[in-house]
Every structure is written in C-alpha cells, then in structure tokens.
Amino acid sequence: MTDMQLLIASQDQSLLDASLRAAKRMKCEVRSAATASAAIDLITGGEVDIVLADIQLPGLRVPELVEAARRCSPESSTIVLAGAENAALAQQAVRQGAHDCLIGPFDVAELENLLERLANERRMSQENRMLRQQLEARQGLGALIGASAKMQRIYEIVLKVANKRHPVLVLGESGTGKELVARAIHSYGPWRDLPFVPVDCGALSPTLIESELFGHVRGAFTGANQNRQGLLAAAGKGTVFLDEIAEMPVELQSKLLRAIQEREVRPVGSNQRTPLEARIIAGTNQHLEGAITRGTFRKDLFFRLNVVSIKLPPLRERKNDIPLLVHHFIDRYSGAGGIKHISDEAMSRLMNYDWPGNVRELENCIQRSLALGSPPEIQVKDLPSSVLYSIESDGGRQRFSTLRERERDAIRQALEMTGGDRLQAAKLLGIGKTTVYRKIKEYELDHIVNSMRT
Ligand SMILES: Nc1ncnc2c1ncn2[C@@H]1O[C@H](COP(=O)(O)OP(=O)(O)O)[C@@H](O)[C@H]1O
Ligand SMILES: [Mg+2]
C-alpha cells in the first residue's frame, strides 16, 4: 500500500512490537535502532521516510535527529512518541522541528492511522510538486527546450524519476540531449545540492577510466603517486552520469555491476571498500541489445541499469520544436545589438532539413549563422551549405549525394518531364543538345528515352 521506509527508534519492547505490527499491516519496510546514535547511523546510511522516535531514547536530541533525516531525505517526517507523563516534552520536540507527536498509551490501530495519514500527506505533497513543475514545464524543463508532445512525455518521466534513486538509462542519438536529461533528473530531485558528476566512458583509456571511477591507492600502478578517490565515491549521494556507457570495456562493466549490486567500491590496488551511495544514470547512443548479442555489453549490467529508460526522440521526429529551439539559441548566442530574428525563408529551410546531428547540430548552425550574418536577421545565405544542399533522405538519415548523382538525377527528371524528348530536355537543363546526347549515354539513360517513345 505504501512504499515508505520506517525507522523505529526505541528500547521499549511493547512499543517496538506495536510499531512493527502496524508497519507490517501498512506494508512499510522497517528498521529499528536502540540508541540515538544508531538511529542517526541508519538514517545517514539509507533512505528513511518516517522516523518514529521514542522520547525516552538514550541520547536523543530531537533537532539533531530531524536535521539528519531531512538532509538524507528531504521529505521525511520525524514523529515523537511519548507516554502521557512526557507530553510536555513531546510538544517541545514538535516546536524543535519534529513533524508531530503521538502521546501514549499506544495501540496498533492508532499507529496504523498515523502511518496512513503520513503516507497520504507524502503522496499529496509529491503530487502537488509534480503538478507545479509540470505547469512550469510547458516550453521546456531545466535546460531542455521543447514543447512537443514527445518532449512533454520526457519531462513527465524526468520529474517522476527525479524523486527516486533508481538507476536510469538515457537512450538517444548523438546530440539529442542525453546529458541535459541526466542533469534535469538530478536538479529536479531532492539531492540537487549534491554533486552531479559526468564521466565520458568513451573518452578515456580503459585503465584511466577504471581509476577515474573507482579511485586508486598510491603505488597501484606506475604514475600512481598518491591515493586518489574515485568519482563514484566522490559523488556522495549525488548523481554520476556515465555517458557513452557502451564504450566501457567489458571487464570494467563487471566491476561496475558488482559495485552497484554491493553498493561498495574498491579502489585499484586496495582491499578497502568504501560505500557507493551515488545514483547512477547511464547514457548511450548505441543499440544495447545489439551490443549484448555481439558480446560487447553485459546483459546483467543492462538489466541493472535499465530499471527506468528514457528514449529521446531525434529532432526530425519533433520538427515543430525547431522554431522554439532556434529562437532560444539566437537569444543565447547573439550579443547586445546583434541579430534577434530569422527570415521566414531561412526558418523554412531549417524546418525542411533532417538534422542528423540533432539539437547539437542545430545549435552549431545557429552559432555559425549568427557569426556570418548581420542584423537584423539571419538569412538563407547565412545558413551552412549542409543545411541548404541536402536533398536525399535515406530512411531518415541524411546522405549527401555527389555532383554526378545529382546531374544524373536532373537529366533523368528532365527526360521524364519531356516524355523522352532530348532536345526539350537539353533546353530545360540549360545545356547543348550534343552534351545531352553524350551524358544520356554516359549515365545509361537511353532506356528512359526509348520507353517513353513507345
Ligand atoms: N532539448 C534541448 N534543448 C536545448 N538544448 C539542447 C537540447 N538537446 C540538446 N541540446 C544541446 O545540444 C547539445 C548536445 O546535448 P547533449 O545533452 O550533450 O547531447 P547528447 O549527450 O545526447 O549527445 C548541448 O549543447 C545542448 O545544449
Ligand atoms: Mg553526450
């Protein structure tokens, strides 16, 4: 019924029993602590949504406990439990930051009611926050720009997973914004103030990347002159974004899988393990199922990372976002007194292009056009020739055709339009009739002439 994690901090056996029974009926996951410091250790070691703290717990300082719980899980609530004789103390605890107090004697039903109420409050506040963020999200989310239905769907998933700590797999062609999505997940969640650490698994050599991720101890290999903490540990409870994960060598994939499963990392050359608390987001433009079949990607790592996957649409599948993006990039890159607009004709060229390099290519295109053009607006002549002169699109992917291919196509088209009349075709093409005869032979287009004639 709920997916809440409960911590009961008490030494009172009857209270523990009642809480355990209530928690079980409410399907909460429960842990218990017998001292205040044990409670704080448990809180810092994992996610706790609700802390039930017995006012008589040895060493209890309410403000400290509340603070620890908030830091680790911002939506957590601390509830103080007290017998009637300690009611005044319990009320003081609420003034010191506890969410509420419950005055005994306790029974299971009363605790169940409390848990139910907290579960509802939590759900409401999460829903409210999501609604608010969705309203803000119309034209984009964080640094992500786009109002298309496909992007709205992405924003919804981003906002949902932002509150969780599961691994996320972000898929999409190069330049579709995978890193921006990872950053948005990080910055819309409760851990936004902790580090976001991007690692490009494709850019580093296998040994370097192992020591980058896991760290190393002094003397682990030549050049390791001192101990170095790896990025996985350094991120703390923040987010590590493993970009181009398919480029990671298979042996390292095994090590990463083990680290995620055991929630521990072992630096190169060390026997000591340090806790891995970071949330892992991985990105790739590769087809991972294919890589698994080829044996270059571990299936078990795939399953581990693929708890939630977000597939970004290529720009050609959300062309209605192009004007928004274009204006965004003009605003971003045009200095004071610079270009502020784009001509209708130039915009329509941008809309008709297929953008194999996706948003990154569009961003570069606008930067370049701003540099070449002059105020008040970007014109067709300022656009890169790749955008202006691409004609063929082959299964959605751009293919640049050669001059010979274009010439052959033009002649064929002219022949088709003139019913195979070579003289007429030469006129259409603006070349002499002997040239047309020669080129029809050269490109083996005689069959068109003949078939049209009969
Ligand atoms: N939806 C988007 N809105 C705004 N800019 C974007 C968007 N998607 C990508 N970009 C821009 O394109 C570039 C590439 O984005 P990135 O996240 O690195 O793509 P990927 O990791 O998929 O190759 C970045 O400069 C980013 O600013
Ligand atoms: Mg990238």
Side-chain angles (χ1 to χ4, degrees), residues 145-227:
I145 304 290
S148 57
K150 290 198 171 181
M151 288 308 286
Q152 300 290 350
R153 182 80 197 104
I154 301 280
Y155 305 150
E156 269 172 43
I157 307 175
V158 165
L159 292 175
K160 267 201 196 121
V161 299
N163 291 308
K164 304 264 152 84
R165 300 201 50 91
H166 309 139
V168 180
L169 187 58
V170 188
L171 305 169
E173 290 174 17
S174 184
T176 47
K178 295 186 289 295
E179 178 159 350
L180 293 188
V181 164
R183 283 183 191 277
I185 292 173
H186 177 77
S187 58
Y188 278 84
W191 304 277
R192 64 180 72 93
D193 296 328
L194 299 169
F196 175 86
V197 183
V199 185
D200 188 341
C201 303
L204 301 165
S205 75
T207 32
L208 256 181
I209 185 154
E210 178 171 13
S211 108
E212 278 281 314
L213 284 177
F214 295 88
H216 61 247
V217 293
R218 187 167 160 218
F221 46 85
T222 11
N225 298 326
Q226 49 200 3
N227 291 352

Coordinates of all heavy atoms in Angstrom, one line a residue, residues 145-227:
I145 N 14.8 22.3 -23.9 CA 13.8 23.1 -24.6 C 13.0 22.2 -25.5 O 13.5 21.3 -26.1 CB 14.5 24.2 -25.5 CG1 15.5 25.0 -24.7 CG2 13.5 25.0 -26.2 CD1 14.8 25.9 -23.7
G146 N 11.7 22.5 -25.6 CA 10.8 21.7 -26.5 C 9.4 21.7 -25.9 O 9.3 21.4 -24.7
A147 N 8.4 22.0 -26.7 CA 7.0 21.9 -26.3 C 6.3 20.8 -26.9 O 5.1 20.6 -26.7 CB 6.4 23.3 -26.6
S148 N 6.9 20.0 -27.8 CA 6.2 18.9 -28.5 C 5.7 17.9 -27.5 O 6.2 17.8 -26.4 CB 7.2 18.3 -29.5 OG 8.3 17.8 -28.8
A149 N 4.7 17.1 -27.9 CA 4.1 16.1 -27.1 C 5.2 15.1 -26.7 O 5.3 14.6 -25.6 CB 3.0 15.4 -27.8
K150 N 6.1 14.8 -27.6 CA 7.2 13.8 -27.3 C 8.1 14.3 -26.2 O 8.5 13.5 -25.3 CB 8.1 13.5 -28.5 CG 7.3 12.8 -29.6 CD 8.2 12.1 -30.6 CE 7.4 11.2 -31.4 NZ 8.0 10.4 -32.4
M151 N 8.4 15.6 -26.1 CA 9.2 16.2 -25.1 C 8.4 16.3 -23.8 O 8.9 16.0 -22.7 CB 9.8 17.5 -25.4 CG 10.9 17.4 -26.5 SD 12.2 16.3 -26.1 CE 13.1 17.1 -24.8
Q152 N 7.1 16.6 -23.8 CA 6.3 16.6 -22.6 C 6.3 15.3 -21.9 O 6.4 15.2 -20.7 CB 4.8 17.0 -22.9 CG 4.7 18.3 -23.6 CD 5.0 19.5 -22.7 OE1 5.1 19.4 -21.5 NE2 5.0 20.7 -23.3
R153 N 6.3 14.2 -22.7 CA 6.3 12.9 -22.1 C 7.7 12.7 -21.4 O 7.7 12.1 -20.3 CB 6.1 11.9 -23.3 CG 6.1 10.5 -22.9 CD 4.7 10.0 -22.4 NE 4.9 8.8 -21.7 CZ 4.9 8.6 -20.4 NH1 4.7 9.7 -19.6 NH2 5.0 7.5 -19.8
I154 N 8.7 13.2 -22.1 CA 10.1 13.0 -21.4 C 10.1 13.8 -20.1 O 10.6 13.3 -19.1 CB 11.2 13.6 -22.4 CG1 11.2 12.9 -23.7 CG2 12.5 13.6 -21.7 CD1 11.9 11.6 -23.8
Y155 N 9.5 15.0 -20.1 CA 9.6 15.8 -18.8 C 8.8 15.1 -17.7 O 9.3 15.1 -16.6 CB 8.9 17.2 -19.0 CG 9.5 18.0 -20.2 CD1 8.7 18.9 -20.9 CD2 10.8 17.9 -20.5 CE1 9.3 19.7 -21.9 CE2 11.4 18.6 -21.6 CZ 10.6 19.5 -22.2 OH 11.1 20.2 -23.3
E156 N 7.7 14.5 -18.1 CA 6.9 13.7 -17.1 C 7.8 12.6 -16.4 O 7.8 12.5 -15.2 CB 5.7 13.0 -17.7 CG 4.5 13.9 -17.7 CD 3.4 13.2 -18.5 OE1 3.2 11.9 -18.4 OE2 2.7 13.9 -19.3
I157 N 8.5 11.9 -17.3 CA 9.3 10.8 -16.7 C 10.4 11.4 -15.9 O 10.7 10.9 -14.8 CB 9.8 9.9 -17.9 CG1 8.7 9.4 -18.8 CG2 10.6 8.7 -17.3 CD1 9.2 8.6 -20.0
V158 N 11.1 12.4 -16.4 CA 12.2 13.0 -15.7 C 11.7 13.4 -14.3 O 12.4 13.1 -13.3 CB 12.7 14.3 -16.4 CG1 13.6 15.1 -15.5 CG2 13.5 13.8 -17.7
L159 N 10.5 14.1 -14.2 CA 10.1 14.6 -12.9 C 9.7 13.4 -12.0 O 9.9 13.5 -10.8 CB 8.9 15.5 -13.0 CG 9.2 16.8 -13.7 CD1 7.9 17.6 -14.0 CD2 10.1 17.6 -12.9
K160 N 9.2 12.3 -12.5 CA 8.9 11.2 -11.7 C 10.2 10.5 -11.2 O 10.3 10.3 -10.0 CB 8.2 10.1 -12.5 CG 6.7 10.3 -12.4 CD 6.0 9.0 -12.8 CE 4.5 9.3 -13.0 NZ 4.0 9.0 -14.3
V161 N 11.2 10.3 -12.0 CA 12.3 9.6 -11.5 C 13.2 10.5 -10.7 O 14.1 10.0 -9.9 CB 13.2 8.9 -12.7 CG1 12.3 7.9 -13.4 CG2 13.7 9.9 -13.6
A162 N 13.1 11.8 -10.8 CA 13.9 12.7 -10.1 C 13.8 12.4 -8.5 O 14.8 12.6 -7.8 CB 13.6 14.1 -10.4
N163 N 12.7 12.0 -8.1 CA 12.5 11.7 -6.7 C 12.9 10.4 -6.2 O 12.8 10.0 -5.1 CB 11.0 11.9 -6.3 CG 10.6 13.4 -6.5 OD1 11.2 14.2 -5.9 ND2 9.5 13.6 -7.2
K164 N 13.4 9.6 -7.1 CA 13.8 8.2 -6.8 C 15.3 8.1 -6.9 O 15.9 8.9 -7.5 CB 13.1 7.2 -7.7 CG 11.6 7.3 -7.7 CD 11.0 6.3 -6.8 CE 9.7 6.7 -6.2 NZ 8.5 6.5 -6.9
R165 N 15.8 7.0 -6.5 CA 17.2 6.8 -6.6 C 17.6 5.6 -7.5 O 18.8 5.2 -7.6 CB 17.9 6.6 -5.2 CG 17.7 7.8 -4.3 CD 18.7 8.0 -3.2 NE 20.0 7.9 -3.6 CZ 20.8 8.9 -3.9 NH1 20.3 10.1 -4.0 NH2 22.1 8.7 -4.2
H166 N 16.6 5.1 -8.2 CA 16.9 4.0 -9.2 C 17.9 4.4 -10.2 O 17.9 5.6 -10.6 CB 15.7 3.6 -10.0 CG 14.5 3.3 -9.1 ND1 13.3 3.7 -9.5 CD2 14.4 2.7 -8.0 CE1 12.4 3.3 -8.6 NE2 13.1 2.7 -7.6
P167 N 18.7 3.5 -10.8 CA 19.4 3.8 -12.0 C 18.5 4.2 -13.1 O 17.4 3.7 -13.2 CB 20.2 2.5 -12.3 CG 20.1 1.7 -11.1 CD 18.9 2.1 -10.3
V168 N 19.0 5.0 -14.0 CA 18.2 5.4 -15.2 C 19.1 5.3 -16.4 O 20.3 5.6 -16.3 CB 17.7 6.9 -15.1 CG1 16.9 7.3 -16.3 CG2 16.9 7.1 -13.8
L169 N 18.5 4.7 -17.5 CA 19.2 4.6 -18.7 C 18.7 5.6 -19.7 O 17.5 5.6 -20.0 CB 19.1 3.2 -19.2 CG 19.9 2.7 -20.4 CD1 21.4 2.9 -20.2 CD2 19.5 1.3 -20.8
V170 N 19.5 6.5 -20.2 CA 19.0 7.5 -21.2 C 19.6 7.2 -22.6 O 20.8 7.1 -22.8 CB 19.5 8.9 -20.8 CG1 18.9 10.0 -21.7 CG2 19.3 9.2 -19.3
L171 N 18.6 6.9 -23.5 CA 18.9 6.5 -24.8 C 18.6 7.6 -25.8 O 17.7 8.4 -25.6 CB 18.1 5.2 -25.2 CG 18.3 4.1 -24.2 CD1 17.2 3.0 -24.5 CD2 19.7 3.5 -24.3
G172 N 19.3 7.6 -26.9 CA 19.0 8.6 -28.0 C 20.2 8.8 -28.8 O 21.4 8.6 -28.4
E173 N 20.0 9.2 -30.1 CA 21.1 9.6 -31.0 C 21.9 10.7 -30.4 O 21.5 11.4 -29.5 CB 20.5 10.1 -32.3 CG 19.8 9.0 -33.1 CD 19.1 9.5 -34.4 OE1 19.5 10.7 -34.8 OE2 18.3 8.8 -34.9
S174 N 23.1 10.8 -31.0 CA 24.0 11.8 -30.5 C 23.4 13.2 -30.7 O 22.8 13.5 -31.7 CB 25.3 11.7 -31.3 OG 26.2 12.6 -30.9
G175 N 23.6 14.1 -29.7 CA 23.1 15.4 -29.8 C 21.6 15.6 -29.5 O 21.0 16.7 -29.7
T176 N 20.9 14.6 -28.9 CA 19.5 14.7 -28.6 C 19.3 15.2 -27.2 O 18.1 15.4 -26.8 CB 18.8 13.3 -28.7 OG1 19.6 12.3 -28.1 CG2 18.6 12.9 -30.2
G177 N 20.4 15.4 -26.4 CA 20.2 16.0 -25.1 C 20.3 15.0 -24.0 O 19.7 15.3 -22.9
K178 N 21.0 13.9 -24.1 CA 21.0 12.9 -23.1 C 21.6 13.5 -21.8 O 21.2 13.2 -20.7 CB 21.8 11.7 -23.5 CG 21.2 10.9 -24.7 CD 21.9 9.7 -25.0 CE 23.2 9.9 -25.7 NZ 23.1 10.5 -27.1
E179 N 22.7 14.2 -22.0 CA 23.3 14.8 -20.7 C 22.4 15.8 -20.1 O 22.3 15.9 -18.8 CB 24.7 15.4 -21.1 CG 25.3 16.1 -19.8 CD 26.8 16.3 -19.9 OE1 27.4 15.7 -20.9 OE2 27.3 16.9 -19.0
L180 N 21.7 16.6 -20.9 CA 20.7 17.6 -20.3 C 19.7 16.8 -19.5 O 19.2 17.3 -18.5 CB 20.1 18.4 -21.4 CG 21.0 19.4 -22.1 CD1 20.2 20.3 -23.0 CD2 21.9 20.2 -21.2
V181 N 19.2 15.7 -20.0 CA 18.2 14.9 -19.3 C 18.8 14.4 -18.0 O 18.1 14.6 -16.9 CB 17.7 13.7 -20.1 CG1 17.0 12.7 -19.3 CG2 16.8 14.2 -21.3
A182 N 20.0 13.9 -18.0 CA 20.6 13.5 -16.7 C 20.7 14.6 -15.7 O 20.4 14.5 -14.6 CB 22.0 12.9 -17.0
R183 N 21.1 15.8 -16.2 CA 21.2 17.0 -15.3 C 19.8 17.4 -14.8 O 19.7 17.7 -13.6 CB 21.8 18.2 -16.1 CG 23.3 18.1 -16.2 CD 23.9 19.3 -16.9 NE 25.2 19.1 -17.3 CZ 26.3 19.2 -16.4 NH1 26.0 19.6 -15.2 NH2 27.5 18.9 -16.8
A184 N 18.8 17.3 -15.6 CA 17.4 17.6 -15.2 C 17.0 16.7 -14.1 O 16.4 17.1 -13.1 CB 16.5 17.7 -16.4
I185 N 17.2 15.4 -14.3 CA 16.8 14.4 -13.3 C 17.5 14.8 -11.9 O 16.9 14.8 -10.9 CB 17.3 13.0 -13.7 CG1 16.4 12.5 -14.9 CG2 17.1 12.0 -12.5 CD1 16.9 11.2 -15.5
H186 N 18.8 15.1 -12.0 CA 19.5 15.5 -10.8 C 18.9 16.8 -10.2 O 18.7 16.8 -9.0 CB 21.0 15.7 -11.1 CG 21.8 16.1 -10.0 ND1 22.2 15.3 -9.0 CD2 22.3 17.3 -9.6 CE1 22.9 15.9 -8.1 NE2 22.9 17.2 -8.5
S187 N 18.7 17.8 -11.0 CA 18.4 19.1 -10.5 C 16.9 19.2 -10.1 O 16.6 20.2 -9.4 CB 18.9 20.2 -11.4 OG 18.3 20.1 -12.6
Y188 N 16.0 18.3 -10.5 CA 14.6 18.4 -10.0 C 14.4 17.5 -8.9 O 13.2 17.4 -8.4 CB 13.7 18.1 -11.2 CG 13.5 19.4 -12.0 CD1 14.4 19.7 -13.0 CD2 12.4 20.3 -11.7 CE1 14.2 20.9 -13.7 CE2 12.3 21.4 -12.5 CZ 13.2 21.7 -13.5 OH 13.1 22.9 -14.2
G189 N 15.4 16.8 -8.4 CA 15.2 15.9 -7.2 C 15.7 16.5 -5.9 O 16.3 17.6 -5.9
P190 N 15.4 15.8 -4.8 CA 15.8 16.4 -3.5 C 17.3 16.4 -3.3 O 17.7 17.1 -2.3 CB 15.1 15.3 -2.6 CG 14.4 14.4 -3.4 CD 14.7 14.5 -4.8
W191 N 18.1 15.8 -4.1 CA 19.5 15.8 -3.9 C 20.2 16.8 -4.8 O 21.4 16.7 -5.1 CB 20.0 14.4 -4.1 CG 19.3 13.4 -3.3 CD1 19.6 13.1 -2.0 CD2 18.2 12.6 -3.7 NE1 18.7 12.1 -1.5 CE2 17.8 11.8 -2.5 CE3 17.4 12.4 -4.8 CZ2 16.8 10.9 -2.5 CZ3 16.4 11.5 -4.8 CH2 16.0 10.8 -3.7
R192 N 19.5 17.8 -5.3 CA 20.0 18.7 -6.3 C 21.3 19.5 -5.8 O 22.0 19.9 -6.6 CB 18.9 19.7 -6.7 CG 18.5 20.6 -5.6 CD 17.4 21.6 -6.1 NE 16.2 20.9 -6.4 CZ 15.2 20.8 -5.5 NH1 15.3 21.3 -4.3 NH2 14.1 20.1 -5.7
D193 N 21.4 19.7 -4.5 CA 22.6 20.4 -4.0 C 23.8 19.6 -3.9 O 24.9 20.1 -3.6 CB 22.3 21.1 -2.6 CG 21.1 22.1 -2.7 OD1 21.0 22.7 -3.8 OD2 20.3 22.2 -1.8
L194 N 23.7 18.3 -4.1 CA 24.9 17.4 -4.1 C 25.5 17.4 -5.4 O 24.9 17.8 -6.4 CB 24.4 16.0 -3.6 CG 23.8 16.1 -2.2 CD1 23.1 14.8 -1.8 CD2 24.9 16.5 -1.2
P195 N 26.7 16.8 -5.6 CA 27.4 16.9 -6.8 C 26.7 16.1 -8.0 O 26.1 15.1 -7.8 CB 28.7 16.2 -6.6 CG 28.9 16.1 -5.1 CD 27.5 16.2 -4.5
F196 N 26.8 16.7 -9.2 CA 26.5 16.0 -10.4 C 27.8 15.7 -11.2 O 28.5 16.7 -11.5 CB 25.5 16.8 -11.3 CG 25.2 16.2 -12.6 CD1 24.2 15.3 -12.8 CD2 26.0 16.5 -13.8 CE1 23.9 14.7 -14.0 CE2 25.7 15.9 -15.0 CZ 24.7 15.0 -15.1
V197 N 28.1 14.5 -11.4 CA 29.4 14.2 -11.9 C 29.3 13.4 -13.3 O 29.0 12.3 -13.3 CB 30.2 13.3 -10.9 CG1 31.6 13.0 -11.4 CG2 30.3 13.9 -9.6
P198 N 29.6 14.1 -14.4 CA 29.5 13.4 -15.7 C 30.9 12.8 -16.0 O 31.9 13.4 -15.7 CB 29.3 14.6 -16.7 CG 29.6 15.8 -16.0 CD 29.8 15.6 -14.5
V199 N 30.8 11.6 -16.5 CA 32.0 10.8 -16.9 C 31.8 10.3 -18.3 O 30.8 9.7 -18.6 CB 32.2 9.6 -16.0 CG1 33.6 8.9 -16.3 CG2 32.2 10.0 -14.5
D200 N 32.7 10.7 -19.2 CA 32.6 10.2 -20.6 C 33.4 8.9 -20.7 O 34.6 8.9 -20.8 CB 33.1 11.3 -21.6 CG 32.9 10.8 -23.0 OD1 32.6 9.6 -23.2 OD2 32.9 11.7 -23.9
C201 N 32.7 7.8 -20.7 CA 33.3 6.5 -20.7 C 34.0 6.2 -22.0 O 34.9 5.4 -22.1 CB 32.3 5.4 -20.5 SG 31.4 5.6 -18.9
G202 N 33.7 7.0 -23.1 CA 34.4 6.7 -24.4 C 35.6 7.5 -24.5 O 36.5 7.2 -25.4
A203 N 35.8 8.5 -23.7 CA 36.9 9.5 -24.0 C 38.2 9.0 -23.3 O 39.3 9.6 -23.6 CB 36.6 10.9 -23.5
L204 N 38.2 8.1 -22.4 CA 39.4 7.7 -21.6 C 39.8 6.3 -21.9 O 39.0 5.5 -22.3 CB 39.1 7.8 -20.1 CG 38.6 9.2 -19.6 CD1 38.0 9.1 -18.3 CD2 39.7 10.2 -19.6
S205 N 41.1 6.0 -21.7 CA 41.6 4.7 -21.9 C 41.1 3.8 -20.8 O 40.7 4.3 -19.7 CB 43.1 4.7 -21.9 OG 43.5 4.8 -20.6
P206 N 41.0 2.5 -21.1 CA 40.4 1.6 -20.1 C 41.0 1.7 -18.7 O 40.3 1.7 -17.7 CB 40.6 0.2 -20.7 CG 40.7 0.4 -22.1 CD 41.3 1.8 -22.3
T207 N 42.4 1.8 -18.6 CA 43.0 1.9 -17.3 C 42.6 3.2 -16.6 O 42.4 3.2 -15.4 CB 44.5 1.7 -17.3 OG1 44.9 2.3 -18.5 CG2 44.9 0.3 -17.2
L208 N 42.7 4.2 -17.4 CA 42.4 5.5 -16.8 C 41.0 5.6 -16.3 O 40.7 6.1 -15.2 CB 42.5 6.6 -17.9 CG 43.8 7.4 -17.8 CD1 43.8 8.5 -18.9 CD2 43.9 8.1 -16.4
I209 N 40.1 5.0 -17.1 CA 38.7 5.2 -16.6 C 38.4 4.4 -15.4 O 37.7 4.8 -14.5 CB 37.7 4.8 -17.8 CG1 36.3 5.1 -17.3 CG2 37.8 3.4 -18.2 CD1 35.4 5.4 -18.4
E210 N 39.1 3.2 -15.2 CA 38.9 2.5 -14.0 C 39.4 3.3 -12.8 O 38.7 3.4 -11.8 CB 39.7 1.1 -14.1 CG 39.5 0.3 -12.8 CD 40.1 -1.0 -12.9 OE1 40.9 -1.3 -13.8 OE2 39.9 -1.8 -11.9
S211 N 40.5 3.9 -12.9 CA 41.0 4.7 -11.8 C 40.2 6.0 -11.6 O 40.0 6.4 -10.4 CB 42.5 4.9 -11.8 OG 42.8 6.2 -12.1
E212 N 39.7 6.5 -12.7 CA 38.8 7.7 -12.5 C 37.5 7.3 -11.7 O 37.1 8.1 -10.8 CB 38.3 8.2 -13.9 CG 39.2 9.1 -14.7 CD 39.2 10.5 -14.2 OE1 38.0 11.0 -14.0 OE2 40.2 11.0 -14.0
L213 N 36.9 6.2 -12.1 CA 35.7 5.8 -11.5 C 35.8 5.3 -10.1 O 35.1 5.6 -9.1 CB 34.9 4.8 -12.3 CG 34.3 5.2 -13.6 CD1 33.7 4.1 -14.3 CD2 33.2 6.2 -13.2
F214 N 36.8 4.4 -9.9 CA 37.0 3.7 -8.6 C 38.0 4.2 -7.7 O 38.1 3.9 -6.5 CB 37.2 2.2 -8.9 CG 36.1 1.5 -9.6 CD1 36.0 1.5 -11.0 CD2 35.1 0.9 -8.8 CE1 34.9 0.9 -11.6 CE2 34.0 0.2 -9.5 CZ 34.0 0.2 -10.9
G215 N 38.9 5.1 -8.3 CA 40.0 5.6 -7.5 C 41.1 4.6 -7.5 O 41.0 3.5 -8.0
H216 N 42.3 5.0 -6.9 CA 43.4 4.1 -6.7 C 44.2 4.5 -5.5 O 44.0 5.5 -4.9 CB 44.3 4.1 -8.0 CG 44.9 5.5 -8.2 ND1 44.6 6.2 -9.3 CD2 45.8 6.2 -7.5 CE1 45.3 7.3 -9.3 NE2 46.1 7.3 -8.2
V217 N 45.0 3.5 -5.0 CA 45.9 3.8 -3.9 C 47.3 4.1 -4.5 O 47.6 3.7 -5.6 CB 45.9 2.7 -2.9 CG1 44.6 2.6 -2.2 CG2 46.4 1.4 -3.5
R218 N 48.1 4.7 -3.7 CA 49.4 5.1 -4.1 C 50.2 3.8 -4.4 O 50.1 2.8 -3.7 CB 50.1 5.8 -2.9 CG 51.4 6.3 -3.2 CD 51.8 7.2 -2.1 NE 53.3 7.3 -2.2 CZ 54.1 7.4 -1.2 NH1 53.6 7.4 0.0 NH2 55.4 7.4 -1.4
G219 N 50.9 3.8 -5.5 CA 51.7 2.6 -5.9 C 50.9 1.5 -6.7 O 51.4 0.5 -7.0
A220 N 49.6 1.8 -6.9 CA 48.8 0.8 -7.6 C 49.3 0.5 -9.0 O 49.2 -0.6 -9.5 CB 47.3 1.2 -7.6
F221 N 49.8 1.5 -9.6 CA 50.4 1.3 -11.0 C 51.4 2.5 -11.2 O 51.4 3.4 -10.3 CB 49.3 1.4 -12.1 CG 48.3 2.5 -11.9 CD1 48.6 3.7 -12.4 CD2 47.1 2.3 -11.3 CE1 47.7 4.8 -12.3 CE2 46.2 3.3 -11.1 CZ 46.5 4.5 -11.7
T222 N 52.3 2.4 -12.2 CA 53.2 3.4 -12.4 C 52.5 4.7 -12.6 O 51.6 4.8 -13.4 CB 54.1 3.1 -13.6 OG1 53.5 2.1 -14.3 CG2 55.5 2.9 -13.2
G223 N 53.0 5.7 -11.9 CA 52.4 7.0 -12.0 C 51.3 7.3 -10.9 O 50.9 8.4 -10.8
A224 N 51.0 6.3 -10.2 CA 50.0 6.5 -9.1 C 50.8 7.0 -7.9 O 51.2 6.1 -7.0 CB 49.2 5.2 -8.8
N225 N 51.1 8.3 -7.8 CA 52.0 8.8 -6.8 C 51.3 9.0 -5.4 O 51.9 9.2 -4.4 CB 52.7 10.0 -7.2 CG 53.5 9.8 -8.4 OD1 54.1 8.7 -8.5 ND2 53.6 10.7 -9.4
Q226 N 50.0 9.1 -5.5 CA 49.2 9.3 -4.3 C 47.8 8.6 -4.4 O 47.4 8.3 -5.5 CB 49.1 10.7 -3.9 CG 48.6 11.6 -5.0 CD 48.9 13.1 -4.8 OE1 49.6 13.4 -3.8 NE2 48.5 13.9 -5.7
N227 N 47.2 8.5 -3.2 CA 45.9 7.9 -3.2 C 45.0 8.9 -3.9 O 45.1 10.1 -3.8 CB 45.4 7.8 -1.7 CG 46.1 6.7 -1.0 OD1 46.9 6.0 -1.6 ND2 45.9 6.6 0.3

